[in-house]
């Protein structure tokens, strides 16, 4: 597969669109209807955009979503240990924890999760989690990005740690934001350098699944359901794309509740 970045200007802003060289899965036109029903559609509650529209701009809601962080839980300064007060700093709009000793402000930022969707012999590699949350459920090898590494490096490391697999990243596949829990997922397509893998410390099993056997009812998180559903749909249509979307979780649901969400602002290149 060959991928190249093309600059695309939308409303005065310059972004990138990934241009894919056709793969050998089929000769379907990307604008042709899917020749048969996608069995995973009911697991992917999304409002899709027309296929001829790529990275169309959307209007974000003016109503702020609930935040994953609770600033009032920050009682002490992480730099000097002083007590904090909770106030809106001058020139800002949100409540912050401000140190009463050194005056520093504690900003809460989302965590980035990186991982690999590993393809091999028309199958995908999944790991069964041996830790909480979602113990005993299947996931793509993924985890938190570390300071000092790129997203690609982190995705490769997580795959090595969770599946003892050495992979080569091919291209980005999905960028998914989950505002309610303060996470952003970046999933890359990858291939095995050697057909060897085994469970790492956080996995009880690793297995290659044909597309028709992916355990959609036993996946660990809604992000995994969305990613794998998009991948299956792309394979069925014969054209892999890059996807962006916002997973809006229903407040009060557990991380392992894989159906309590909607996929909004879905864009694809």
């Amino acid at each position: 597969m060959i991928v190249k970045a093309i600059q695309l200007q939308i409303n005065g802003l310059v972004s990138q669109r990934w241009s894919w060289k056709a793969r050998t899965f089929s000769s379907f036109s990307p604008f042709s209807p899917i020749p048969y029903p996608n069995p995973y559609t009911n697991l992917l509650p999304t409002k899709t955009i027309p296929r001829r529209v790529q990275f169309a701009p959307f209007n974000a809601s003016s109503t702020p979503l609930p935040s994953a962080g609770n600033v009032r839980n920050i009682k002490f300064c992480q730099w000097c240990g002083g007590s904090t007060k909770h106030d809106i700093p001058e020139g800002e709009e949100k409540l912050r924890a401000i140190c009463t000793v050194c005056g520093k402000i504690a900003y809460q930022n989302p965590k980035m999760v990186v991982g690999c969707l590993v393809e091999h012999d028309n199958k995908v590699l999944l790991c069964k989690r041996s830790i909480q949350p979602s113990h005993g459920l299947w996931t793509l090898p993924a985890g938190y990005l570390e300071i000092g590494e790129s997203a690609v490096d982190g995705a490769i490391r997580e795959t090595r740690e969770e599946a003892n697999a050495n992979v080569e990243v091919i291209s980005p596949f999905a960028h998914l934001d989950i505002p309610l829990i303060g996470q952003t997922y970046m999933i890359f397509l990858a291939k095995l350098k050697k057909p060897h893998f085994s469970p790492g410390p956080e996995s009880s099993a690793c297995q290659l699944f044909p597309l028709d056997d992916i355990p959609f009812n036993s996946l660990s998180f809604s992000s995994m359901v969305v990613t794998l559903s998009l991948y299956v749909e792309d394979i069925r249509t014969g054209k892999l794309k890059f996807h962006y979307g916002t997973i809006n979780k229903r407040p009060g649901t557990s991380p392992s509740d894989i159906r309590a969400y909607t996929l909004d602002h879905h864009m694809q290149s």
Side-chain angles (χ1 to χ4, degrees):
M1 176 189 297
I2 299 176
V3 61
K4 62 181 180 179
I6 301 175
Q7 282 192 334
L8 180 66
Q9 186 166 0
I10 300 174
N11 292 343
L13 299 177
V14 176
S15 62
Q16 287 188 329
R17 182 179 69 188
W18 292 96
S19 177
W20 302 82
K21 183 178 179 180
R23 294 167 63 118
T24 57
F25 292 110
S26 71
S27 59
F28 295 135
S29 163
F31 304 124
S32 300
I34 299 175
Y36 42 82
N38 181 357
Y40 311 113
T41 300
N42 62 334
L43 292 175
L44 185 63
T46 176
K47 300 176 182 178
T48 57
I49 63 176
R51 289 191 183 278
R52 291 185 183 274
V53 178
Q54 299 183 346
F55 280 155
F58 61 84
N59 295 318
S61 172
S62 59
T63 303
L65 292 170
S67 172
N70 185 351
V71 69
R72 295 191 183 279
N73 288 336
I74 303 176
K75 305 293 185 182
F76 301 98
C77 176
Q78 60 180 308
W79 293 279
C80 72
S83 60
T84 61
K85 64 178 181 179
H86 303 102
D87 201 354
I88 300 176
E90 184 178 356
E92 298 193 21
E93 298 178 349
K94 290 187 176 183
L95 191 70
R96 309 288 187 186
I98 306 170
C99 181
T100 58
V101 178
C102 69
K104 290 186 176 180
I105 303 171
Y107 291 98
Q108 295 175 297
N109 305 107
K111 290 185 175 294
M112 188 170 186
V113 179
V114 292
C116 287
L117 198 167
V118 182
E119 305 172 303
H120 184 74
D121 289 341
N122 297 321
K123 300 175 183 178
V124 295
L125 180 64
L126 299 181
C127 303
K128 181 177 283 189
R129 290 175 61 84
S130 63
I131 59 173
Q132 295 292 358
S134 301
H135 179 278
L137 299 177
W138 293 94
T139 183
L140 295 170
Y144 290 121
L145 184 68
E146 299 282 358
I147 296 294
E149 65 183 1
S150 68
V152 169
D153 290 338
I156 293 173
R157 172 186 53 77
E158 286 291 340
T159 304
R160 184 174 60 250
E161 291 177 355
E162 296 188 6
N164 287 313
N166 291 319
V167 299
E168 176 185 347
V169 166
I170 301 170
S171 63
F173 177 70
H175 174 178
L176 302 170
D177 293 331
I178 314 180
L180 183 64
I181 60 175
Q183 291 182 358
T184 287
Y185 276 73
M186 189 71 198
I187 303 297
F188 297 89
L189 289 175
K191 64 180 181 179
L192 292 171
K193 291 184 176 180
K194 295 182 180 179
H196 304 305
F197 53 87
S198 60
E202 297 181 359
S203 306
S204 60
C206 293
Q207 184 177 332
L208 287 168
F209 287 89
L211 299 192
D212 291 337
D213 295 335
I214 293 174
F216 275 92
N217 290 324
S218 301
L219 293 178
S220 54
F221 308 111
S222 54
S223 56
M224 299 295 103
V225 177
V226 171
T227 300
L228 288 165
S229 297
L230 292 171
Y231 176 75
V232 169
E233 182 179 356
D234 284 358
I235 293 296
R236 300 302 192 206
T237 60
K239 180 179 174 64
L240 283 172
K241 298 180 282 291
F242 175 72
H243 298 269
Y244 169 80
T246 302
I247 297 176
N248 285 318
K249 298 282 290 185
R250 190 166 65 234
T253 59
S254 70
S256 58
D257 190 339
I258 60 175
R259 291 181 178 81
Y261 74 97
T262 58
L263 176 63
D264 301 320
H265 306 148
H266 179 212
M267 299 183 288
Q268 53 193 341
S269 65

